Every structure is written in C-alpha cells, then in structure tokens.
Amino acid sequence: MRLLKGKLRLRQVTRRMDHGHQTPILTSRRDLPAAQVAYRMFERWRQENFFKYLREEYALDALVEYAAVPDDPTREVPNPAWAAWDAQLRQAHARVDRLQAEYGLEALTNPERQRRTMRGFKAAHGKLSQKIWSALQRVQQLEKRRAAVPRRVPVQAVGQAPVVKLAPERKHLTNLIKIVAYQAESDLLRLVAPHYRRAGQEGRTLIQSVLASVADLEVTQTELRVTLAAQSSPHRTRAVAALCETLDQAKTRFPGSRLRLHYAIHKKAS
C-alpha cells in the first residue's frame, strides 16, 4: 500500500512466473483478491493484443464508405474550450516547476559566507521569488476559469454544421466478416500447432501463407480436391500436410453441393 498526499491509495500485486520473471500490477481496486487482479490484467492484455492484430492484419480501422447519416445532436463530446484552458493550465504548471527548480538550485549553491540566513537569501533572490508567486497566481486563475467550463458538451454545441456520422451498417458487416475470418485463422492455428514447433511465434504467419497460396482444384463425382502449393520450407510443408489430414477428417461438404472437400499439398515446390 502507498499513501500519496492522502488522496490516492495504490495497491501492488506482483505475478511471479515459474522461471522467475515478475510482473508488477498497480491498481486502486482493494476489494478484489490478488488472483482476480492478475487475471483481469492479463485478460485485458489479450483483448488489446487482439485489437492490435486486427488493426494491423485485417484493417479493422479502415474506412469502408463515405456515406453519412444523421447523428444524435445531444451526444456529449469533449469540450474544445475546456481543452484550451487545460492546455494553458499545464503550461502554467510547467512554468512554476521550472521557477521552483531554479530557486532550489540557487539555495543548493548558496554561498553561506555571503548569505548566512534565509532572510539574506530571500533578499538576494527577490525577483525570482516574485516570479514564482506570480506564476502561482496565474495557476489559480486558470484553475478557476477551467472549472467554470464544462468538460463535455453536446456535439451540436461544438459547431454550426449538421451533426452527422459515417453510416454504420456496412462497417458493422465488414467488421463481422473480419472477426469471423480471425476466428477461422485461430481454429486453423490450433489444429496445426501440434505439428509445428514454432506455432507460438510463426503459427499465424504460416496460416496466412497457406490461405494465400495457389492451389489446384479438381472436381470428381464425389469430391472437390484442393491441392495446395508446397510451402517455403519442408517442415512447413509437413505441418500443412498434417493440417490437411486433420481437415479431411471433418468430412466437410462444399456449400450448396454434395461434393466432399479433400485437402492435400504438393510435397515439393514446383
């Protein structure tokens, strides 16, 4: 536990791995057991990594269309006026910090033979003291002005233009498709992991290469045969061959037909 000026109490929970690595977690939640704090923290990391991966590999944040629809004019957004006062206040605080640091440096290097008392020191640095008091007064004035401005306001109060937003339907549909594609990729990764030693580091890269590979298609009376091109190395090709065998065991039929999907891979690169 730590007590910071009587305003903020923080709790530290440290997770220690079997190999000795430790991960400290700071939280203000005192009502949760230590195990629950660690669980929630690492689950949050999983979520952040999930969205990071979808942004980079599936363009989750990409703009889908430019069509606009009316938005709720009462929806609250950050107030630009409050942000402007806050920026000035942060600058004022920074000035106080600089002046106080300068005053402290003067006190540290004060020649005691010339100024043996605090009174003499203050008299010698009267101008600097005045600057500090003026800066503190400026901080107080800005704090009052910022407090008089609401932090969030209705979006209609920000500007005169009609309140609109991007049409959400197509974006929702494409996001759903991307999430389903990610889930399919994850399922394939789980199936190939027992056959690929570096699945934890390169598994998704391998699955992406397989999905982007060229393939031969052959239609028979009962099957749709999909023969993938060999991968860039023999051990990858063997892993994909094992994946194909696992997929064949599901006996999946091609949608809209009675053809059974049969997967295979060329053993050598053409």
Side-chain angles (χ1 to χ4, degrees):
M1 294 291 181
R2 293 185 61 191
L3 184 63
L4 303 179
K5 298 182 180 180
K7 297 181 180 179
L8 178 64
R9 301 186 71 181
L10 297 179
R11 171 191 182 193
Q12 177 174 318
V13 176
T14 303
R15 177 189 178 187
R16 185 178 184 275
M17 305 294 290
D18 293 337
H19 53 76
H21 177 74
Q22 297 185 8
T23 304
I25 305 170
L26 291 179
T27 177
S28 59
R29 293 291 299 271
R30 302 178 57 201
D31 57 323
L32 296 176
Q36 187 67 231
V37 172
Y39 171 79
R40 292 191 178 188
M41 185 62 186
F42 286 95
E43 281 297 302
R44 176 180 176 181
W45 283 0
R46 289 184 58 188
Q47 295 173 9
E48 292 176 352
N49 291 334
F50 167 77
F51 285 108
K52 180 177 183 292
Y53 183 81
L54 257 67
R55 284 194 298 268
E56 294 177 352
E57 302 295 337
Y58 287 86
L60 187 66
D61 293 336
L63 183 63
V64 177
E65 63 176 335
Y66 293 91
V69 295
D71 192 12
D72 180 12
T74 62
R75 176 173 59 87
E76 291 190 348
V77 296
N79 187 359
W82 187 93
W85 286 116
D86 184 66
Q88 293 187 42
L89 181 58
R90 284 187 279 108
Q91 292 177 0
H93 276 297
R95 175 172 171 76
V96 170
D97 292 340
R98 289 195 301 269
L99 292 173
Q100 288 179 338
E102 183 180 351
Y103 195 82
L105 181 61
E106 293 292 344
L108 180 64
T109 59
N110 176 51
E112 295 185 359
R113 293 182 179 180
Q114 297 180 11
R115 293 182 289 272
R116 299 181 180 181
T117 63
M118 179 56 67
R119 181 178 181 181
F121 177 82
K122 290 182 177 180
H125 298 87
K127 292 184 178 180
L128 182 57
S129 299
Q130 185 61 38
K131 289 181 180 180
I132 293 176
W133 285 112
S134 298
L136 290 173
Q137 291 176 358
R138 173 66 174 168
V139 167
Q140 294 178 354
Q141 293 173 358
L142 291 173
E143 286 178 343
K144 292 181 180 179
R145 293 179 180 179
R146 190 187 65 173
V149 178
R151 188 164 188 170
R152 299 181 67 87
V153 294
V155 65
Q156 63 182 355
V158 176
Q160 301 296 328
V163 180
V164 297
K165 65 178 180 179
L166 291 174
E169 288 81 7
R170 186 175 298 180
K171 180 65 174 175
H172 289 170
L173 177 60
T174 55
N175 285 349
L176 177 61
I177 294 174
K178 292 173 182 178
I179 293 175
V180 171
Y182 172 83
Q183 185 60 52
E185 179 186 300
S186 300
D187 292 340
L188 292 174
L189 175 61
R190 176 176 53 82
L191 295 176
V192 81
H195 312 286
Y196 192 57
R197 183 176 300 178
R198 295 186 57 81
Q201 296 78 28
E202 303 174 359
R204 291 193 179 274
T205 302
L206 173 62
I207 297 302
Q208 292 173 4
S209 299
V210 172
L211 296 176
S213 297
V214 296
D216 295 330
L217 299 180
E218 181 183 358
V219 181
T220 68
Q221 294 295 329
T222 58
E223 292 183 334
L224 172 57
R225 297 177 180 175
V226 181
T227 306
L228 300 169
Q231 294 299 297
S232 58
S233 60
H235 71 282
R236 285 193 168 197
T237 300
R238 289 192 295 268
V240 176
L243 175 61
C244 291
E245 294 178 2
T246 303
L247 293 176
D248 280 343
Q249 296 175 3
K251 299 180 180 181
T252 305
R253 296 188 180 277
F254 186 77
S257 74
R258 297 182 178 180
L259 299 178
R260 179 177 175 273
L261 283 168
H262 175 77
Y263 297 96
I265 186 171
H266 291 291
K267 299 302 181 182
K268 296 182 180 180
S270 56

